[in-house]
Amino acid sequence: MRDCFNPEVYKKDWQYQEGDLTVTRSTQWSAPGCHQGCSILFYTDKDGKLVKVEGDPNSPVTDGRLCMRCLAMVEAVYHPDRILHPMKRDRDDRGKDKWVQITMDEAYELCAEMVKDTTEKYGAKSICTGAGTGRNATWQSNVLGQGAFGTPNDNCGMLAGNCCYTPRMQGMNAVLGDTFIADCGQLNEARFDHPEYRRPDLILIWGNNPLRANADGFYGHWIIDCMRRGSKLFVVDPQVTWLAAHAEQYIQVRPGTDAALALAIGHVMIEEELYDKEFIDLWCYGFDEYKERVADWTPERAAEICWCDPEDIYAAARLIGTAGVTTLQWGVAFDQNKEANGTAHSVVLLQAMTGNIDNPGGFVGINFGYVQSDIRENVAKGLPKVREGRLGDDGNWGLMNAKGKGGHAIPEAILDACETGEPYPVKMLFMCSTTAFTNMAGQARRIYNAFKEMDHVVICDLFMTPTAMAIGDLFIPMAMGCERNGVRGWYTPLRAITKVTQTGEAIGDEQMMLELGKKMNPDLFYWDDVPEMLEFCTNNMATVPIQITFSELREKVIVYPEFTYYKYKTGKLRFDGQPGFNTLSGRIEFFCNMYNNVGMDPLPYFKEPPESPVSTPELFAEFPLVMTTGRRCWEYFHSEHRQLHTMREFHKWPMFAIHPDDAEAAGIKEGDWAVIENSHGKAIEVAHVTDTMLKGVISAEHGWWFPERPAEEPSLFGLWESNINCCTVQGDFGPSGYGSSYKTQLAKVYPAPEGYGAEFEKLYEAHNAR
Ligand SMILES: Nc1nc2c(c(=O)[nH]1)N[C@H]1C(S)=C(S)[C@@H](COP(=O)(O)OP(=O)(O)OC[C@H]3O[C@@H](n4cnc5c(=O)[nH]c(N)nc54)[C@H](O)[C@@H]3O)O[C@H]1N2
Ligand SMILES: Nc1nc2c(c(=O)[nH]1)N[C@H]1C(S)=C(S)[C@@H](COP(=O)(O)OP(=O)(O)OC[C@H]3O[C@@H](n4cnc5c(=O)[nH]c(N)nc54)[C@H](O)[C@@H]3O)O[C@H]1N2
Ligand SMILES: [Mo]
């Protein structure tokens, strides 16, 4: 039985009255941003104003649970800092708070003029659209780029080496032929009561903190649901997380060494015959080569690299090899490692070793994971193909990106075009839901310098961000989750997003796309309104076997497509309908043919990060700490939520975690402001001295800026004080073209100048007293 579900008590109607308030069952996705789509009850008063929100107890997805960011939604929606009307600014006034309010029509007109000007001078390819991570805004700017601006150049906000899930997904496609995810009972409405389902015996939580992150459509508390039913955990992380503290076994590793650990676990599983021979014989390819590869990966060798105990590696192999049903819940630490593909390959094979693939409670193929791209594809169906000349298609940006196999323009190629004007200049940016140099990209100053040179910059956001203040010429105000209609589709199930209120002129991304698209290319953007467009999309899903109108979906709120296990046995994974996997050999590839064909190492491997105690000992002598960055926290989604007093009350300043011995050596105490410095730059954060952190490693937060500090240049809301991406690199991708070193830098720390921070406290207090 699910935990809170009680249809007797809780209403199932999509909308009902509770006293004077109207309650609407919906899904919160963005804005403000998140990767999840939690079930939410929006309470609106008779004037249509949002007065409170609650988790929806009648939801099989989240069972009434809701995080602090959602619970503070009213504060976000009516925050005085929100931008509620379109604004423009002269290019010469960039960096100054000299915005002028305009109408939405004027905004669209101005955007169209910018596109025209850029196209006439340089060609449409010189326009680049950018979208941020997994919010309800990942595809709209891409469609506009293709259908209204005529450019092939869209990308994910300049993320170095596309280091977010893409490397893991491409890795899974190469090795398993599809995307696979942990099965924690989320795939059927009946959840744990489904007759075929059984919970995993062991969940590998690797380089991921699902409780905080809820990343990529995976709701972290599904792990808790499984734990309550007896699942044990195996956790790999340089810092003790809540889940690590509750694990059967936990291995604390030096960042960037996960592949060595996995190869040694594989070594022991083979030595001790702790693998599923039948599954490997029937369904896998290249096991002998793999055996050879791991032959000299002894736990003793790996332990030295990973900074852990060899005995723990033996124990891990035995645990994984004998647990029964195991699954893998992994995280962005794989992608933010230069050797992202080799690392992903080494860990994903542990699932194949035990045959825990596409079985109940195992690691399951989810070929309808991309409803979101399905919607995009539907909207984009009639659009002209504008692929030619896309930046990065020249094949110079990694072997898997060669000849433009990647899904988007390559961030590094865009940056290069900005800096060199080759093969053509980039002159206009349309940035929707991303703040490149505050948060997304490595080497923040470099991106800032490149983007300052643009002729035109359009920003679609909710608040005035440092990026918008620095370079924006036109600002389009975007809607919060409760102010827009939409469809939540990123993995199962399909969920409705229902508009319950309107604030100012804020507009949802779908609506902005439709209206601006219509203005520029009315034949292609022909739907009358967003519900009509969504109706078309939900009725024409290629990957989800669901046909449903948007209004039906809104009333049902949540709809589960059919899901089956063991698809590799029934031919449901392969494009030709044959049993097996959708890889080149038709099997799971220990020896990966796709990697081999493009000139990559076909077998899983470990290589030291570009900067490390081993690969750059001189640098290490000067910067004696390994630094991982960007550990997620409860209060913030990337650079968002810094305006919200509730979040700041819990987490006022940027923090980095450091082991007590390292703090003492650096002369730093708990709560001190300290400078984090490396060969790329510096950032100042508050020290959290904790023995949860592996000695020799620090973990620094990303995305920090301060809405209470001066807006204009040179401050840009304190952008350059605590921006950890001043200490990261753009272009550190591995042989595949994917991966970055966001989580594997070197650094040193030392106390900030005496009195640092006092003035910032005052600014913060004054801002809050408004
Ligand atoms: N609240 C909140 N949620 C978010 C986000 C957010 O900003 N805030 N961001 C979203 C996005 S875009 C993403 S990609 C996901 C990411 O979600 P996660 O994958 O959970 O990402 P992180 O918190 O960066 O890292 C997870 C864990 O990896 C550990 N770690 C760091 N380096 C290494 C390493 O080299 N090896 C191993 N094994 N572990 C390492 C960290 O200590 C941390 O506990 O979260 C999403 N969800
Ligand atoms: N050092 C370091 N850097 C990192 C990471 C790390 O771990 N370490 N993680 C990286 C990862 S994995 C990722 S994915 C990126 C994420 O980077 P981004 O996705 O670029 O995140 P933000 O910088 O917060 O920019 C998002 C902006 O979109 C706005 N927004 C929110 N919701 C909506 C919406 O619905 N529509 C529109 N139009 N706007 C909206 C927000 O107000 C915010 O200003 O950061 C990367 N940066
Ligand atoms: Mo991400």
Side-chain angles (χ1 to χ4, degrees):
M1 208 28 212
R2 293 212 320 272
D3 297 312
C4 319
F5 181 73
N6 186 347
E8 304 300 312
V9 177
Y10 299 110
K11 295 259 197 325
K12 251 192 143 142
D13 298 342
W14 73 280
Q15 202 165 53
Y16 53 92
Q17 284 300 122
E18 222 176 87
D20 286 344
L21 301 177
T22 304
V23 189
T24 308
R25 297 178 62 216
S26 183
T27 302
Q28 171 60 25
W29 187 3
S30 81
C34 181
H35 275 188
Q36 246 301 333
C38 291
S39 298
I40 198 164
L41 302 178
F42 289 130
Y43 288 77
T44 40
D45 68 13
K46 54 185 185 324
D47 302 321
K49 224 179 146 197
L50 185 76
V51 293
K52 76 166 181 172
V53 305
E54 297 273 3
D56 182 355
N58 199 14
S59 161
V61 183
T62 42
D63 268 328
R65 292 167 288 200
L66 206 57
C67 79
M68 64 192 295
R69 301 194 303 280
C70 264
L71 290 170
M73 182 106 18
V74 176
E75 187 183 344
V77 171
Y78 301 111
H79 197 282
D81 286 357
R82 249 192 100 180
I83 308 290
L84 296 173
H85 303 281
M87 304 190 300
K88 69 171 182 182
R89 182 175 63 179
D90 278 353
R91 194 182 178 283
D92 293 344
D93 287 331
R94 282 186 186 168
K96 299 193 187 116
D97 198 1
K98 291 199 171 175
W99 295 93
V100 180
Q101 187 177 324
I102 54 176
T103 65
M104 202 58 95
D105 267 348
E106 287 167 335
Y108 295 146
E109 192 60 49
L110 182 55
C111 180
E113 277 168 27
M114 291 170 166
V115 169
K116 185 160 175 276
D117 180 57
T118 314
T119 307
E120 280 172 6
K121 286 189 183 137
Y122 310 98
K125 288 201 287 282
S126 290
I127 303 164
C128 192
T129 64
T133 186
R135 303 178 182 86
N136 191 4
T138 52
W139 57 275
Q140 295 89 339
S141 54
N142 165 298
V143 167
L144 271 177
Q146 187 182 341
F149 310 161
T151 176
N153 288 316
D154 87 294
N155 83 110
C156 188
M158 305 300 285
L159 184 66
N162 280 313
C163 66
C164 174
Y165 207 28
T166 307
R168 271 174 291 153
M169 288 196 297
Q170 297 295 5
M172 284 189 276
N173 276 328
V175 173
L176 299 168
D178 202 340
T179 300
F180 284 69
I181 62 170
D183 179 15
C184 290
Q186 72 272 34
L187 298 162
N188 288 300
E189 182 162 16
R191 307 264 332 254
F192 299 100
D193 293 338
H194 191 274
E196 272 180 272
Y197 186 70
R198 57 101 79 218
R199 57 116 182 89
D201 296 302
L202 183 72
I203 308 176
L204 282 62
I205 310 262
W206 205 314
N208 175 232
N209 194 353
L211 297 187
R212 292 182 179 190
N214 304 303
D216 311 306
F218 186 92
Y219 183 57
H221 275 70
W222 292 332
I223 301 280
I224 305 283
D225 295 342
C226 288
M227 289 168 76
R228 292 166 78 174
R229 288 163 175 80
S231 300
K232 303 259 187 289
L233 307 182
F234 169 71
V235 177
V236 182
D237 198 301
Q239 185 167 15
V240 188
T241 60
W242 188 90
L243 290 174
H246 292 78
E248 188 74 1
Q249 203 198 342
Y250 164 54
I251 298 190
Q252 196 164 29
V253 285
R254 166 162 70 97
T257 65
D258 300 273
L261 176 63
L263 292 168
I265 291 174
H267 171 96
V268 178
M269 288 171 79
I270 286 170
E271 292 279 292
E272 303 189 3
E273 300 200 2
L274 299 170
Y275 55 92
D276 185 337
K277 292 191 195 62
E278 196 189 326
F279 181 83
I280 290 172
D281 277 353
L282 278 174
W283 302 108
C284 297
Y285 175 87
F287 189 59
D288 290 337
E289 288 91 336
Y290 171 76
K291 264 178 154 170
E292 237 170 81
R293 173 60 57 94
V294 297
D296 55 1
W297 272 104
T298 61
E300 289 70 21
R301 175 179 170 200
E304 204 170 306
I305 293 167
C306 302
W307 296 358
C308 68
D309 184 342
E311 285 311 316
D312 284 344
I313 303 182
Y314 286 103
R318 289 165 195 154
L319 180 67
I320 295 168
T322 60
V325 175
T326 72
T327 190
L328 170 66
Q329 173 54 33
W330 52 352
V332 80
F334 283 82
D335 315 316
Q336 297 180 350
N337 173 325
K338 176 174 177 174
E339 305 299 337
N341 289 72
T343 308
H345 197 184
S346 67
V347 170
V348 91
L349 290 182
L350 299 178
Q351 283 304 125
M353 291 270 268
T354 54
N356 277 297
I357 298 284
D358 224 20
N359 53 327
F363 200 48
V364 292
I366 179 110
N367 46 10
F368 50 75
Y370 307 103
V371 183
Q372 198 55 21
S373 38
D374 226 355
I375 292 175
R376 184 217 165 275
E377 290 312 316
N378 273 326
V379 174
K381 239 174 210 158
L383 303 188
K385 301 282 171 268
V386 287
R387 180 61 192 274
E388 203 177 324
R390 195 175 68 178
L391 290 167
D393 276 6
D394 55 10
N396 294 330
W397 309 94
L399 298 165
M400 282 181 86
N401 281 328
K403 301 188 191 70
K405 288 204 201 80
H408 306 272
I410 308 293
E412 284 80 3
I414 295 171
L415 181 58
D416 191 56
C418 291
E419 290 175 343
T420 65
E422 298 295 336
Y424 49 82
V426 175
K427 288 292 180 184
M428 173 171 170
L429 298 176
F430 186 93
M431 304 298 269
C432 183
S433 79
T434 181
T435 73
F437 49 80
T438 313
N439 179 79
M440 181 67 107
Q443 232 167 335
R445 278 275 182 196
R446 186 171 162 204
I447 305 284
Y448 165 81
N449 287 332
F451 282 7
K452 267 200 321 195
E453 300 305 315
M454 295 297 141
D455 285 359
H456 306 291
V457 178
V458 182
I459 305 274
C460 307
D461 209 305
L462 309 151
F463 292 97
M464 186 52 61
T465 64
T467 304
M469 184 52 79
I471 59 172
D473 304 313
L474 170 63
F475 191 112
I476 301 182
M478 306 310 288
M480 294 277 178
C482 55
E483 299 162 349
R484 63 193 296 184
N485 287 306
V487 175
R488 157 76 208 189
W490 184 8
Y491 297 141
T492 191
L494 199 61
R495 282 156 263 184
I497 295 166
T498 300
K499 175 172 174 168
V500 298
T501 188
Q502 172 72 40
T503 315
E505 289 179 271
I507 188 170
D509 296 77
E510 293 86 347
Q511 195 177 343
M512 180 273 293
M513 181 200 78
L514 190 56
E515 291 179 2
L516 181 54
K518 246 185 214 305
K519 169 122 211 146
M520 300 187 63
N521 208 338
D523 289 347
L524 295 176
F525 295 85
Y526 57 84
W527 300 278
D528 281 341
D529 55 24
V530 170
E532 190 193 312
M533 182 178 76
L534 294 174
E535 196 100 25
F536 174 81
C537 296
T538 50
N539 264 328
N540 290 279
M541 296 281 188
T543 53
V544 181
I546 285 182
Q547 304 291 314
I548 192 168
T549 65
F550 179 64
S551 34
E552 281 165 359
L553 180 64
R554 191 209 309 259
E555 289 187 16
K556 292 199 160 101
V557 191
I558 300 170
V559 174
Y560 283 77
E562 195 193 330
F563 176 79
T564 57
Y565 292 108
Y566 299 112
K567 296 180 282 295
Y568 60 92
K569 295 185 184 172
T570 54
K572 285 193 183 149
L573 285 182
R574 279 188 62 79
F575 65 91
D576 58 7
Q578 293 296 310
F581 293 85
N582 208 20
T583 56
L584 292 176
S585 65
R587 293 163 180 246
I588 295 176
E589 300 199 342
F590 279 76
F591 178 101
C592 177
N593 285 300
M594 191 194 284
Y595 289 170
N596 198 42
N597 291 351
V598 298
M600 285 162 57
D601 191 334
L603 290 162
Y605 65 91
F606 166 73
K607 198 169 168 211
E608 278 288 334
E611 286 182 11
S612 91
V614 182
S615 53
T616 54
E618 305 86 53
L619 211 57
F620 184 62
E622 195 183 342
F623 303 106
L625 296 166
V626 174
M627 175 170 72
T628 174
T629 68
R631 174 201 52 199
R632 279 33 174 175
C633 59
W634 310 106
E635 298 84 359
Y636 303 111
F637 194 81
H638 294 294
S639 74
E640 295 192 53
H641 301 101
R642 299 302 187 291
Q643 304 83 2
L644 303 186
H645 183 49
T646 308
M647 305 304 137
R648 294 293 289 277
E649 257 189 315
F650 281 90
H651 188 157
K652 203 196 281 182
W653 304 119
M655 291 196 295
F656 70 101
I658 182 168
H659 188 275
D661 293 353
D662 297 324
E664 198 185 332
I668 291 166
K669 295 184 306 307
E670 172 72 18
D672 284 355
W673 285 95
V675 183
I676 301 168
E677 185 178 334
N678 66 10
S679 58
H680 314 292
K682 46 177 130 164
I684 306 190
E685 300 197 351
V686 170
H688 175 40
V689 180
T690 167
D691 51 17
T692 60
M693 200 67 233
L694 180 59
K695 188 166 178 258
V697 179
I698 59 168
S699 174
E701 287 177 354
H702 76 307
W704 274 91
W705 61 289
F706 307 90
E708 68 273 16
R709 295 191 197 168
E712 297 193 335
E713 288 270 19
S715 159
L716 296 176
F717 301 105
L719 172 64
W720 304 111
E721 290 292 319
S722 304
N723 186 341
I724 204 65
N725 285 351
C726 290
C727 304
T728 57
V729 181
Q730 194 77 15
D732 243 355
F733 53 79
S736 61
Y738 299 122
S740 77
S741 48
Y742 286 7
K743 287 198 168 27
T744 64
Q745 296 290 334
L746 293 177
K748 66 178 174 184
V749 294
Y750 52 90
E754 188 74 29
Y756 183 91
E759 180 204 345
F760 297 145
E761 284 285 351
K762 281 193 216 140
L763 286 176
Y764 175 74
E765 294 308 330
H767 197 251
N768 266 323
R770 287 178 309 162

